[in-house]
Amino acid sequence: MAAPEFTLIIGDKNWSSWSLRPWLLMRQAGVPFDEVHIRLRRPESKADILAVSPTGFVPALKWRGETIGDSLAICETIADLFPERKLWPRDALARAVARAAAAEMHSGFGALRRDMPMAVIERHPGEGHTEEALADARRVLRLWRELRFRFGGQTPGDQGFLFGHFTVADAMYAPVVTRLRTYGVDLAALGDDGIALAYMEAVTTLPAMHDWVAGAAAQEKLKA
């Protein structure tokens, strides 16, 4: 059996939100890849990452002798290489909106990331509920609602994702789904009418998400 063309270098599955994004996308798209795990939050972590990724960050995708850094760049690369997987919406307007939503996640929501860092197998209800983080969460919920209303529920064969079927935008927001669960954010108090909760359920029940969480638990058990 031929070796996969891609190698994805990731950090700890409990913590590395940026690693989750392309990992989930590639698994959902059925793109085979070898997985290399680098332990984070250790004295040697930076050197270990620099040995395989010139940016000094994970994730990194090895492909044809090149190293592609940055989660969104990796997702874009996979979407370009496998257009039949429809990892962006086919409609030009929907695709533009999806790219904008993915980019907003990529560059924004700093308070949410800072105050509620990803910890997929942990539960810290009430922690990190700063005014700034909750303001970010409100914006996320509004965006999810708008996208589901405009592009999701209106799509034939809707699967519960932001644009009906799974896209790069869903991969980018998957870590936020885990954060809201980990820190016990009251969605109704932030204005959710059930749409965000249903969307979160669609993401968390993905077999690939189950595999990621199980992998995180296994990694943490090895550290004990």
Side-chain angles (χ1 to χ4, degrees):
M1 187 174 181
E5 186 178 10
F6 304 100
T7 297
L8 185 65
I9 301 159
I10 63 172
D12 293 21
K13 289 182 175 177
N14 189 35
W15 301 322
S16 187
S17 59
W18 294 108
S19 296
L20 169 57
R21 293 174 167 109
W23 188 96
L24 182 62
L25 185 86
M26 294 175 77
R27 283 289 301 273
Q28 276 299 110
V31 176
F33 61 95
D34 286 327
E35 180 182 320
V36 174
H37 167 227
I38 294 181
R39 295 277 298 275
L40 303 179
R41 304 183 185 181
R42 296 165 64 92
E44 66 272 21
S45 296
K46 195 67 172 182
D48 289 345
I49 295 171
L50 282 169
V52 293
S53 174
T55 66
F57 296 100
V58 288
L61 182 71
K62 298 287 187 180
W63 174 55
R64 296 187 180 179
E66 295 291 338
T67 301
I68 312 299
D70 184 89
S71 292
L72 186 53
I74 296 171
C75 290
E76 289 271 16
T77 299
I78 297 301
D80 285 346
L81 291 173
F82 299 94
E84 72 280 5
R85 306 299 205 272
K86 302 176 184 178
L87 297 174
W88 289 116
R90 180 169 294 174
D91 176 77
L93 177 60
R95 187 165 61 250
V97 175
R99 287 183 187 277
E104 184 174 358
M105 180 67 255
H106 187 262
S107 61
F109 307 114
L112 181 61
R113 293 203 298 263
R114 179 194 67 220
D115 299 333
M116 301 184 199
M118 191 176 86
V120 297
I121 63 170
E122 301 173 31
R123 292 295 179 265
H124 305 291
E127 294 185 20
H129 290 203
T130 63
E131 183 178 345
E132 295 86 356
L134 292 177
D136 279 353
R138 286 188 189 92
R139 167 57 187 159
V140 169
L141 297 188
R142 288 195 301 269
L143 179 63
W144 289 351
R145 189 181 193 284
E146 176 186 349
L147 297 179
R148 284 290 301 144
F149 180 76
R150 292 182 60 194
F151 303 103
Q154 311 303 317
T155 303
D158 174 42
Q159 299 171 2
F161 300 109
L162 297 178
F163 292 84
H165 68 282
F166 189 90
T167 69
V168 173
D170 299 295
M172 292 299 292
Y173 282 92
V176 178
V177 170
T178 74
R179 285 178 164 98
L180 297 177
R181 289 166 61 92
T182 293
Y183 296 94
V185 175
D186 186 342
L187 303 184
L190 297 183
D192 179 42
D193 57 2
I195 290 178
L197 184 61
Y199 171 65
M200 289 172 60
E201 183 70 9
V203 173
T204 56
T205 56
L206 286 170
M209 278 296 294
H210 282 294
D211 289 347
W212 178 273
V213 174
Q219 288 175 354
E220 293 303 302
K221 186 175 180 180
L222 287 174
K223 296 177 188 178

